[in-house]
Amino acid sequence: MKPTERIRTGFFVLAEVLALCLAAGAQQAAQPEARRLQSYDAGREVTLVGTVVKYEASSSAPPMGAHLLVQTSSGQVDVHLGNARVLQASHLELKAGDNVRIVGESLALGDGTFFAARIVQKGTQAVAVRNAKGFLLRPSSTLSQSQKDALRGVR
């Protein structure tokens, strides 16, 4: 092999290795973006303001739980509220026509996304349905104080 052919072959091999490295780097950059949308981050939260179109206390559409269809200025958004009993325990009733403010963020689910609510506000009443890390909250006791007092001695 002549020296010029060796140099030319060396350049081609170097160019191929460089192209493969760039392609691998692009794939690694795309994976964290998808993974980033699978976990809740309070730093990415946004606020939706709109009107309730429909409220379902128990939806069969994933993710399971309460869903709220909200009409915003940019279109309708399906909002996941989690456990409907959290809203009930706080005496927050949602119905079509109510104006709401929702703090949360879009998360990945399969091939699509959903809006995960952390705080739902109607008028002056606000209810947290997720904690700051995005975990769904459980409902507090719905017993009245007299019922709690009556059960205190029961073991």
Side-chain angles (χ1 to χ4, degrees):
M1 211 185 229
K2 294 183 181 179
T4 55
E5 288 179 25
R6 281 188 207 156
I7 292 173
R8 188 177 302 153
T9 304
F11 280 127
F12 284 129
V13 169
L14 183 62
E16 286 180 34
V17 168
L18 183 60
L20 288 173
C21 289
L22 290 174
Q27 286 178 354
Q28 288 177 352
Q31 287 174 348
E33 179 65 25
R35 190 176 303 127
R36 188 175 74 110
L37 288 176
Q38 291 176 346
S39 62
Y40 198 93
D41 181 5
R44 292 190 312 255
E45 285 183 337
V46 295
T47 301
L48 291 179
V49 177
T51 305
V52 174
V53 174
K54 181 180 172 185
Y55 170 71
E56 283 184 273
S58 179
S59 174
S60 58
M64 306 301 262
H67 281 255
L68 190 64
L69 189 59
V70 178
Q71 180 67 47
T72 67
S73 60
S74 58
Q76 291 187 350
V77 178
D78 182 24
V79 179
H80 180 252
L81 301 175
N83 192 337
R85 289 182 288 169
V86 172
L87 300 173
Q88 291 170 350
S90 298
H91 307 291
L92 179 66
E93 294 181 19
L94 298 169
K95 55 187 178 290
D98 288 343
N99 291 320
V100 292
R101 179 178 168 267
I102 300 168
V103 177
E105 70 171 287
S106 289
L107 296 176
L109 178 67
D111 293 337
T113 60
F114 70 98
F115 192 85
R118 185 171 70 85
I119 300 172
V120 180
Q121 182 178 358
K122 175 183 159 186
T124 59
Q125 184 180 11
V127 176
V129 294
R130 281 184 170 76
N131 65 15
K133 293 186 179 187
F135 294 108
L136 290 170
L137 298 177
R138 294 178 11 185
S140 60
S141 175
T142 57
L143 297 176
S144 68
Q145 188 60 42
S146 61
Q147 290 170 323
K148 289 178 188 176
D149 291 340
L151 289 174
R152 235 175 237 173
V154 177
R155 296 199 188 256

